[in-house]
Amino acid sequence: MNNDHDAAAGAGGIHRDADDGRAVDSTQTFGHDSDLSFIPFGRDLTEAELEAIGALPSRAALLLVRSGPTAGARYLLDTDVATIGRHPEADIFFDDVTVSRRHAEITRTGGFFELIDQRSLNGTYVNGERVDRAVLDDGAEVRIGKFRLNFFVSPLDRAAVSEG
């Protein structure tokens, strides 16, 4: 590559094609041999993870990264909208080329959380199914690029749902 082409590269995988100036998305797609199979994780949570879930306030949830480059990370969902993507300003930032810059959003309406794909290149999966949007149930597995996560709601909200 020449320096002119390097200077034209944008942040987060978007760059300008040196030949015609068009923006090109460099998000890598999964190959045919990639593991997109759904094998649910057991409820083999660590004591620290169980404590974090148990401490969630009402109307909050937690995403636990179960596999991928940031396995073990935890993300608190306590706002009405949380953005997920490779863009550095995303609420949940996944710095990996299999994740689109604006990959998905999680919205909270009342006590329910919904995952909404933002026309990502590799798609968004819930419990092994590719979805455009899906309500997240407690324990649901979410796949975004190479990342596999589990979603957990506050035990206070679980109790309210079971009583209702």
Side-chain angles (χ1 to χ4, degrees), residues 34-84:
S34 291
D35 177 23
L36 290 178
S37 61
F38 173 62
I39 302 170
F41 286 103
R43 293 275 180 159
D44 54 339
L45 299 172
T46 67
E47 192 64 37
E49 290 169 336
L50 289 170
E51 287 177 18
I53 293 166
L56 287 170
S58 182
R59 292 183 27 101
L62 192 67
L63 275 177
L64 299 176
V65 181
R66 302 302 295 270
S67 71
T70 59
R74 297 182 219 155
Y75 297 97
L76 176 64
L77 301 172
D78 63 350
T79 60
D80 289 336
V81 178
T83 58
I84 303 170

Side-chain angles (χ1 to χ4, degrees), residues 65 70 75 84-86 92-96 99 144 147 149:
V65 181
T70 59
Y75 297 97
I84 303 170
R86 196 176 69 223
I92 299 173
F93 173 60
F94 289 144
D95 189 13
D96 189 85
V99 177
I144 293 176
F147 298 84
L149 309 100

